[in-house]
Amino acid sequence: MSNWKYIVVGAGSAGATFASRRAAAGDRVLLLDAGPNYPSAELHEAWRSPNPLKALADPDAVQEVMFPDLLGTRTSVQQPAPYWRGRGVGGSSSINGQIAIRPPMLDFDDWAASGCTGWSGEDVLPYFNKLESDGDFGDAPHHGSDGPIPIYRAPRATWGPADRALAKGAQEVGIEWIDDINAPDAKGVSIYPINSSSQRRVSVNDAYLEPQRSNPNLTIRGHSTVDTVIFDGDRAVGVRIVGSEGVTEEFADEIILAAGAVHTPTILIRSGIGPSAVLERIGVEQRAELPVGEGLQDHAMIGVGIVLADHIAPVTEDDRHTNIAARFDSDDPDGLPHDLMLVSMNQNVLAMQYADTSRGAAAIGLWLNRPYSRGRVVVDSADPMQQPFVEENMLSDERDLRRLREGARLLAKLCRGNGVSEIAGVPVDQTADAFYAAIDSGDDKQIDAFLLAAAADTQHATSTCRMGAADDPRTVVTPDCRVLGFSGLRVIDASVFPDVPRANTHLATVAIAEAMADRVA
C-alpha cells in the first residue's frame, strides 16, 4: 500500500501549486525538493526586493536557493555560462524578476491545434483568472480578484528612466499604448504586471505553500534530490531519494515530476526514459525511447546599454528593475503574431563597458518571443548530484536570425529616438558601439554575427518533455500530462509546453498546475 496519494518532485511554480491544491482537497501529498524547505518568513530579505539584482550581488542570498554549477551555452559560438534555476521551496519564483505577464491565448490555441486537446485559450483562461488577485483589472471577466497571487502594476510616478524611455520610444516607432497587456491576445506597449504585494516579492512558497503548512495532508521535505522513479512494470510506484539520511525510497499512487524544464528530463533519463544514445552513454538501461530532453526553447535577447545623463537619478538596489514591456509583430513572412518583445531595464551592466562608470546605467532589451530554434538538456552522468548541461542552440534557425535582425534594426531606431535621448548622457552608439557598428553596416551577415555572439537568454527554459498527441514523434507526455507508455507518472511543469510562450513563463506554469490540480480529481 502506498504511503501517499501523490509524490510531487519539485516545489517551484508548478509543484508548489499542484501540491497545495491537492492537499487542500484532502489528498496526502509528499512534496520533495533538492533545495531547502523554509517558511516564507525565512527567505533571505534581499530576494524580497523589487530588484533581483540586489540578491544576485549577495553571495549569502544566492548560496542556498540557486544551482551554482548549472551551466549552459546560448548560441553555437558562445562559451558556457551559468544558467540560473531556483532550488528550494518556491523554485525559480523565489529568484526571478517577479514578472506576472500572461502569454496571449493564441499560444494555447496553437497547443490545441498541435494535438494538446483540452489546452486551448478558452480552456486555460479560467485558471489564469483563478491564480490571481489583480489589483487593477480584477473585476474584468478575463481576470481574477481573489486568487493567491497578487498582481501589481507600478504607477507612472515610480517608473525608472528606462521605463519612461521605452514607454515613449515604443510609441515613437509605431507600437501603440495599451492599459492591460494581460488581456487575451493583447499586444502593444504597457506596464509589466508583477507578482508582488507592497513592492515585496510573492513566490509560490508564499502564495500556495505557506497557507497549507499546517495541513496534515501536506509533507514538505527539502534537501531531497530525486535520483530515479521506481517502477513496477510500466507503472510508476515511487521515487529513490538522495538526502541527508542517505538513500531512501518513498511510494505513492502517482508520481508528479515538477522539477522544471532542466531537471525533470534529467530525472526521466536517469530512470531509463529517453533517447537510446543518451542512455547508453551514461550506462542506464532503457525503459522507453522518448525524446526526453530534446526540443528545449528559450527567448534569445539582445540589449542597448544607456549611460544616464547627470540630471537623471539612477535607480537603487531597492527600486524596480523593469516596469514596461512591448509585445508586437515582426514583419517577417515566417513570423507569428506577437513574436517580438521589448523590455525596459532600469539598472543594467550593458552600458558599463563605456569608460565613464560614475553615472547610472540602464538599457532597453529586445527578445525573440516565439522562436523556431530548439536545443536540449545534455545528461552526461547517472550521478544524481551531477548537474546536466543546457545546450540552448538559440538562433540556429534562419527564421529566428532573420526576425531578431529585423527587431534589432527597430531597437536601434528606438534607442536613437527622443525617449532614450532624454535620459542618455552619452550617445547610445558609443555605449553600444559594436551593436551600432553592425546595424549601420547594413550587412545582414555582420548583424547576424553580432547577434550570435551577443545574444543572452531570459532563463525561460521550456519544452524538454513536450506535450502532444500520442502518435506525434515529438511527444513525451499526452494531453493529460501522463508520460507516454506509463501509468502513475505525470509531468506538470514548463517542460511540457510545446513551445516557449510569448511571455515570461512563471504565470503560465502556475496556470498549467492549477488546471492539472483540478483535472486529476
Side-chain angles (χ1 to χ4, degrees):
M1 181 176 178
S2 300
N3 296 330
W4 311 95
K5 174 67 176 178
Y6 297 104
I7 293 175
V8 180
V9 181
S13 298
T17 301
F18 181 91
S20 68
R21 291 298 195 190
R22 292 317 310 160
D27 292 330
R28 293 196 69 230
V29 180
L30 174 61
L31 177 61
L32 303 171
D33 199 277
N37 170 31
Y38 53 86
S40 284
E42 294 182 8
L43 177 66
H44 193 291
E45 183 61 25
W47 288 115
R48 294 293 180 198
S49 170
N51 188 340
L53 294 179
K54 179 177 182 177
L56 290 169
D58 185 335
D60 291 336
V62 168
Q63 183 177 11
E64 275 288 284
V65 297
M66 291 176 66
F67 290 94
D69 49 354
L70 179 62
L71 300 175
T73 50
R74 278 62 187 172
T75 74
S76 61
V77 303
Q78 293 187 25
Q79 294 299 308
Y83 196 80
W84 297 338
R85 295 285 85 194
R87 61 194 292 267
V89 288
S92 292
S93 77
S94 295
I95 68 166
N96 64 11
Q98 305 169 54
I99 301 298
I101 186 175
R102 299 176 178 183
M105 293 300 106
L106 288 169
D107 270 325
F108 301 100
D109 291 338
D110 289 348
W111 287 24
S114 69
C116 301
T117 306
W119 292 100
S120 69
E122 182 180 2
D123 294 323
V124 302
L125 181 58
Y127 294 103
F128 281 99
N129 295 350
K130 182 179 181 178
L131 67 83
E132 73 175 11
S133 181
D134 192 305
D136 298 296
F137 301 102
D139 293 335
H142 51 269
H143 277 296
S145 59
D146 57 1
I149 297 180
I151 306 297
Y152 166 83
R153 295 168 183 81
R156 183 179 291 269
T158 68
W159 291 358
D163 301 327
R164 301 191 299 272
L166 179 55
K168 182 172 184 175
Q171 293 176 81
E172 289 177 339
V173 296
I175 302 172
E176 67 175 4
W177 178 264
I178 55 173
D179 291 329
D180 178 18
I181 202 169
N182 274 356
D185 300 324
K187 66 178 177 181
V189 58
S190 188
I191 304 174
Y192 242 149
I194 63 173
N195 47 278
S196 72
S197 178
S198 301
Q199 299 192 56
R200 290 171 62 80
R201 176 190 299 273
V202 177
S203 72
V204 289
N205 185 35
D206 308 319
Y208 285 90
L209 293 183
E210 196 64 25
Q212 295 298 320
R213 282 189 176 270
S214 61
N215 185 340
N217 293 323
L218 178 63
T219 297
I220 307 170
R221 293 183 191 165
H223 299 297
S224 298
T225 297
V226 170
D227 180 6
T228 61
V229 178
I230 301 170
F231 292 91
D232 181 2
D234 290 335
R235 179 171 185 80
V237 296
V239 294
R240 184 169 292 109
I241 305 161
V242 179
S244 57
E245 299 177 358
V247 178
T248 58
E249 295 180 347
E250 290 284 354
F251 297 89
D253 295 348
E254 192 157 4
I255 310 302
I256 309 295
L257 297 184
V262 174
H263 292 101
T264 285
T266 306
I267 294 169
L268 284 174
I269 287 170
R270 287 199 300 262
S271 303
I273 302 172
S276 57
V278 175
L279 295 166
E280 289 172 8
R281 185 174 70 242
I282 65 174
V284 171
E285 183 178 353
Q286 187 177 54
R287 291 183 178 275
E289 176 73 34
L290 290 174
V292 174
E294 303 295 324
L296 181 142
Q297 289 196 311
D298 201 330
H299 297 125
M301 180 176 183
I302 57 170
V304 170
I306 305 163
V307 168
L308 299 180
D310 290 335
H311 69 280
I312 301 294
V315 301
T316 72
E317 62 180 9
D318 285 314
D319 291 320
R320 181 77 187 143
H321 68 294
T322 179
N323 286 303
I324 301 295
R327 191 159 53 198
F328 62 104
D329 301 347
S330 73
D331 294 326
D332 192 90
D334 290 312
L336 298 163
H338 315 333
D339 59 352
L340 290 171
M341 187 93 155
L342 288 160
V343 294
S344 60
M345 292 183 281
N346 293 311
Q347 188 180 55
N348 203 274
V349 297
L350 290 172
M352 303 318 288
Q353 61 188 335
Y354 179 70
D356 180 2
T357 58
S358 63
R359 284 176 269 185
I364 305 295
L366 171 105
W367 77 57
L368 183 61
N369 224 5
R370 190 56 194 278
Y372 291 98
S373 302
R374 292 188 181 270
R376 60 180 180 149
V377 172
V378 179
V379 180
D380 281 326
S381 172
D383 181 353
M385 308 313 291
Q386 181 171 319
Q387 290 297 312
F389 185 83
V390 181
E391 189 177 281
E392 294 189 276
N393 205 30
M394 296 191 308
L395 304 179
S396 58
D397 189 298
E398 170 59 30
R399 294 169 291 184
D400 293 349
L401 263 178
R402 208 167 56 222
R403 287 180 296 151
L404 193 60
R405 185 195 313 141
E406 175 191 329
R409 288 186 165 117
L410 181 138
L411 175 65
K413 178 181 178 181
L414 185 157
C415 289
R416 278 172 163 159
N418 294 328
V420 170
S421 67
E422 289 174 2
I423 68 167
V426 178
V428 288
D429 48 13
Q430 293 181 31
T431 57
D433 53 347
F435 171 76
Y436 277 102
I439 293 295
D440 292 345
S441 74
D443 182 350
D444 288 353
K445 290 184 178 180
Q446 186 171 335
I447 297 172
D448 291 350
F450 172 84
L451 297 177
L452 286 164
D457 57 38
T458 55
Q459 315 285 311
H460 296 161
T462 69
S463 310
T464 50
C465 298
R466 196 175 188 275
M467 182 196 296
D471 60 353
D472 187 331
R474 301 169 297 175
T475 294
V476 173
V477 303
T478 55
D480 60 358
C481 290
R482 295 185 187 274
V483 176
L484 194 63
F486 295 89
S487 60
L489 180 61
R490 299 185 203 248
V491 174
I492 301 175
D493 60 26
S495 63
V496 308
F497 294 3
D499 308 283
V500 67
R502 285 165 270 201
N504 304 62
T505 49
H506 171 53
L507 237 57
T509 305
V510 175
I512 296 314
E514 284 274 19
M516 288 307 301
D518 273 0
R519 294 178 185 185
V520 295

